[in-house]
Amino acid sequence: MTEHIKTLIAGAWRDASGPQYATEYPADGSTVATLHAATAADVDEAVQAAERARLQPAWADLKPHERAGMLYRIAAGIRDRAEALAQLQRLDNGKPINETRALVASAAGTFQFFAAACETMEDTITPSRGDYVSMSVHEPLGVVGAITPWNSPIASEAQKLAPALAAGCAVVFKPAEITPRMAIELARIAQQAGVPDGIISVLPGKGSVVGDALVRHPLIRRIAFTGGTAVGLGIARLAAERLMPTSLELGGKSPTIVCADADLDHAVAGVLFGIFSSSGESCIAGSRAFVHASVYEAFKERLLAGVKALRVGDPASERTQMGPLVSHAHRESVERYVQLGVDEGGKVLAGGKRPIGDEYGRGSYYLPTVIEGLPNQARMCQEEIFGPVLALLPWSDESDLIAQCNDSMYGLASGIWTRDYKTAWRIGAALQTGTVWVNTYKLFSVSTPFGGVKMSGTGREKGRLGILEYTNQKSYYWGTNAAPLPWSR
Ligand code: NAD
């Protein structure tokens, strides 16, 4: 039976005020849940309640160790319900269960990390240059609007909620319309952990309605956004009108470089994982592989053997490496890109079509696809496909390679495969990306800041200082001179 989900708005579990809609399981198109979309009136109610709640002593007066205690309890709550959350997320976006389990574990770790950051955060007494004591303290920014995409909900939501709560802010969430459940469950766990009513609201629905109203609301003091570059740019423009800080984690077209001296088996495994895990629906997908001409054919042969062996299928199976794409509409968009690549002169070496078989019938599956013969300037090599499509490009001159890697509006991540650390350091320094992986790919740690450059975004999430993004830095001067200020004498 289809479940009907209520959401948490201004401290009450209820239906949002907009029309009812349904979410679908991408593996077979079945309806998973029904819920109501939020409206601009819901946004206003949630933001007003958040502003009131954050100023109440029950939240504003919490000592760091007490606030940290709540975050530790949220981490424990996520771990207690880990399997159920992983299964729900699989139903929401069709990711293989092994991946959703890892995302849930990472979300719990994020709350644990920011609990520690909250408890150990220090303000500073600055060197005095006169008869005063000067200090710099951090205070909560206020109500934060958090807007997230569908590809890794619980992880991207934890990356916003944990530091925001740690800093003492309130959060109004706008999860992706088709994947609302993780934000709703996080709100439930936070409430059970003792976070006061009103501090967290979750407003499902369309970005153009709910997201837009959230960004425009005058009481919102910061937008933490993860999503596509076009939407991020629109948010940046609106935010600029009132100088509202934002973090924008946007799209990518990440290059992976295979050098002549690379361990080819490791490089093949890394490139396969970099582009085809999460069915390529990953902002950091390594979608352009630049392979040195001297090893190009050998690499290609091993890569194609690896692609053939990938297990595409049921996301509920622990053996599955690639599940379906998130929706039929998204699969059609990926198909259009592959056709574009062919029209631009590319040759499909693997995939380029839907898998055939009863198990794939109603799901939005697409085969892992490799294309060669395209210049880096081709649209297929410049635009984010957000699907399992790899462009293979040979290189021979290092400066030309770097120019091609950087010839992209994006700058999110990159990978280098070489046995020579000096080569890796030299190339890494020249790449215009927020993250460089050397002899590995798609590794993440909550201790290490993450974010992009160029059109991949601004701001950083994670890292011990990630909490500061949700604070206002305030300066105090405490006069220590018993005499009046000299000017008045
Ligand atoms: P999207 O930009 O379409 O949507 C992201 C969120 O923004 C959704 O909640 C959506 O409803 C909302 N939104 C849409 N229009 C809005 C508006 N006018 N105002 C406010 N909010 C609005 O992205 P998507 O399709 O959900 O996700 C895929 C994109 O996310 C890809 O480009 C991917 O690279 C990017 N992404 C980036 C990172 C990162 O950390 N850099 C991580 C994951 C995904």
Side-chain angles (χ1 to χ4, degrees), residues 124-128 133-136 476:
T124 43
I125 294 192
T126 53
S128 175
V133 174
S134 50
M135 52 175 73
S136 171
Y476 280 94

Side-chain angles (χ1 to χ4, degrees), residues 28 35 80 84 111 114 119 153 159 175 196-197 231 246 265 271 290 309 344 351 363 366 380 396 427 448 470 477 482:
D28 62 12
L35 72 164
D80 287 348
F111 279 94
F114 281 108
E119 194 163 355
Q159 275 166 224
D197 286 350
V231 177
T246 56
D265 286 334
V271 169
F290 291 90
E344 286 178 306
Y366 196 73
M380 219 212 69
S396 44
I427 294 178
T448 310
Y470 294 88
Y477 291 82

Side-chain angles (χ1 to χ4, degrees), residues 147-151 174-177 205-208 211-212 215 225-229 231-232 235 249-252 282-283 384 386 412 450 456:
I147 304 178
T148 48
W150 45 259
N151 63 322
K174 209 308 271 172
E177 187 182 16
K206 287 197 184 308
S208 55
D212 186 65
V215 175
F225 174 79
T226 300
T229 293
V231 177
I235 290 174
E249 302 284 355
L250 310 178
S282 165
C283 54
E384 186 183 42
F386 219 57
L412 195 56
F450 176 76
S456 289

Side-chain angles (χ1 to χ4, degrees), residues 414-427:
S414 52
I416 306 169
W417 296 88
T418 173
R419 287 189 166 96
D420 181 2
Y421 73 90
K422 296 186 290 308
T423 302
W425 187 253
R426 192 175 59 244
I427 294 178

Side-chain angles (χ1 to χ4, degrees), residues 8 11-13 74 185-198 200:
L8 182 62
W13 287 96
I74 297 175
E185 291 313 308
L186 278 179
R188 196 186 314 279
I189 290 168
Q191 192 183 46
Q192 287 161 0
V195 173
D197 286 350
I200 303 173

